Amino acid sequence: MGLSRRARDLGVAVAILALTALVVARISGESGETITGTARAADGDTLTLDGHRIRLVGMDTPEMMQICKRDGEDWRCGVAARSRLAEFLRAGAVTCQTQGTDKYDRWLARCETADGDLGGRMVREGLAVAYGGYEDEEQFAKAERKGLWGTEFDMPQQWRRMNGRPQEEAHGAEPGVLGGILATFGLN
């Protein structure tokens, strides 16, 4: 009799913890929040919006210091990617749908302007590579030899590795509070 009561109490405690985690995750905006406003480009794949650093998911751009070779000449491809993202952002309001945070505590999001999805546009123009999304856009850019695909370049993650920069995995969201609890119980 005592064992079943303990099991029930444990079940209730786990349910309360899970419910609390859901409430905390919802309040802290870990996932699923929509944010709209004027944004500024930090680099080719990160923007600042309403005081939050937001990493565009599904793509990766050259680092700001990265140099590519176009027709045998140096081309500051990382700076070019940031400049193009900044140009897109000047077109008007940006709306981002968050998907959690990464290990750098940036929000991960898909963002768009009235002209469309920012990540898709960057990859389609060849200023970003597919990194967990936008594979069709990358194939188009490759076929048209747009941006990076018309140059000699190192993939951004390879360049970071060769230049002692912190490595980034494909940008999936960190599990957050609820994800951590579910992982503890093997339920994720």
Side-chain angles (χ1 to χ4, degrees):
M1 193 92 139
L3 182 57
S4 69
R5 183 170 187 193
R6 278 193 178 146
R8 184 189 65 191
D9 290 347
L10 180 61
V12 169
V14 168
I16 290 170
L17 281 173
L19 182 59
T20 301
L22 280 171
V23 170
V24 168
R26 191 70 181 140
I27 290 170
S28 68
E30 282 186 356
S31 181
E33 184 172 331
T34 300
I35 183 170
T36 301
T38 302
R40 177 182 64 75
D43 59 28
D45 49 33
T46 305
L47 54 94
T48 303
L49 175 60
D50 197 25
H52 300 283
R53 286 184 57 84
I54 299 173
R55 174 63 165 84
L56 299 173
V57 296
M59 50 84 95
D60 197 13
T61 61
E63 295 296 315
M64 290 294 292
M65 300 302 297
Q66 190 168 343
I67 304 292
C68 301
K69 291 278 189 191
R70 182 173 20 188
D71 299 324
E73 299 290 322
D74 285 353
W75 176 48
R76 297 186 65 197
C77 49
V79 171
R82 181 175 150 260
S83 295
R84 187 63 171 143
L85 180 60
E87 189 176 324
F88 288 156
L89 296 174
R90 283 192 293 272
V94 176
T95 299
C96 297
Q97 182 67 40
T98 66
Q99 300 177 8
T101 57
D102 68 5
K103 66 183 180 180
Y104 302 108
D105 207 30
R106 297 175 294 192
W107 282 0
L108 297 171
R110 291 206 182 259
C111 299
E112 60 183 38
T113 64
D115 294 326
D117 180 272
L118 292 171
R121 293 175 70 196
M122 291 291 290
V123 174
R124 189 173 183 87
E125 289 195 12
L127 293 170
V129 297
Y131 203 49
Y134 305 113
E135 285 78 10
D136 291 342
E137 289 85 348
E138 183 176 273
Q139 290 308 313
F140 171 82
K142 280 182 180 179
E144 297 288 320
R145 300 188 48 76
K146 290 187 170 279
L148 297 167
W149 304 108
T151 72
E152 296 173 39
F153 76 101
D154 294 315
M155 294 295 274
Q157 56 272 40
Q158 180 183 4
W159 188 92
R160 287 189 291 269
R161 186 173 33 260
M162 293 183 325
N163 288 278
R165 302 294 173 117
Q167 290 300 302
E168 295 187 34
E169 299 300 319
H171 295 94
E174 292 292 312
V177 176
L178 178 59
I181 291 171
L182 292 175
T184 300
F185 293 104
L187 301 172
N188 59 344

